[in-house]
Amino acid sequence: MGTIVAVVSLTLDGVMQAPGRADEDTRDGFRRGGWAHRYNDAVQGRVMGEHMAAHRGALLLGRRTYQDFHGYWPRQQDNPFTEVLNKTEKFVASRTLTEPLPWQNSTLLAGEAVGAVRRLRTQRPDLDLVVLGSGELLRSLMRAGMIATYRRAEEES
């Protein structure tokens, strides 16, 4: 059976909010977005890109993360993540999105997330799934005991 691996940025006091851009996730008045940029460098980007390219599974994303990623990554040039993210198979858990999804290699998992992911795992039992961010989806999968591995960001390099 394939595994579900969660890769998240989480503060010690339990805040899980997008770290990439200052305007990426301003819900609830969050003003600390973009904090991760000052820690990025070319070596980290290269290593993370190589790691992502070596992964043979798929991404499992919630609606909010999918829409943010789609709004940003396909338009990035000369970035090691863009090609990998475009080519990677993406499964999106959402009760509100409809097909066809706009980003290549994206499939909608309609309805209740836990049941939809269970059906996917039955149909594709050897498929490894990586959840990036997607806090609401992740919490649902955690409650159902479906997360096999949790990784800190620095473990990815």
Side-chain angles (χ1 to χ4, degrees):
M1 173 72 67
T3 61
I4 299 176
V5 176
V7 180
V8 298
S9 296
L10 184 69
T11 64
L12 293 175
D13 60 351
V15 175
M16 181 182 193
Q17 204 123 7
R21 299 180 316 275
D23 65 343
E24 185 173 11
D25 188 352
T26 58
R27 285 175 292 147
D28 300 323
F30 186 70
R31 294 174 299 166
R32 304 218 188 275
W35 62 266
H37 279 284
R38 66 178 160 252
Y39 301 107
N40 293 341
D41 63 22
V43 173
Q44 177 192 23
R46 180 184 51 76
V47 171
M48 288 180 69
E50 289 169 359
H51 178 78
M52 288 173 63
H55 176 70
R56 298 293 175 236
L59 291 177
L60 176 59
L61 304 169
R63 177 197 50 83
R64 184 175 294 133
T65 301
Y66 173 80
Q67 288 179 316
D68 183 72
F69 277 28
H70 171 256
Y72 182 79
W73 285 109
R75 296 176 237 323
Q76 302 310 300
Q77 302 296 320
D78 300 322
N79 187 299
F81 303 143
T82 302
E83 183 178 359
V84 173
L85 288 171
N86 284 339
K87 288 182 177 181
T88 297
E89 190 172 16
K90 294 164 279 296
F91 292 96
V92 183
S94 174
R95 290 182 294 266
T96 59
L97 294 177
T98 58
E99 288 193 313
L101 294 176
W103 196 4
Q104 67 190 39
N105 301 315
S106 296
T107 301
L108 180 63
L109 299 176
E112 188 268 326
V114 170
V117 173
R118 282 192 175 126
R119 285 188 296 279
L120 173 63
R121 295 185 78 203
T122 298
Q123 295 165 357
R124 307 222 1 227
D126 294 330
L127 181 66
D128 289 329
L129 297 167
V130 173
V131 181
L132 297 176
S134 303
E136 290 180 36
L137 170 61
L138 182 58
R139 281 187 287 280
S140 295
L141 298 174
M142 289 169 66
R143 281 190 297 271
M146 296 175 71
I147 305 298
T149 305
Y150 297 88
R151 294 218 173 116
R152 297 184 315 256
E154 65 267 15
E155 290 182 72
E156 291 299 304
S157 56

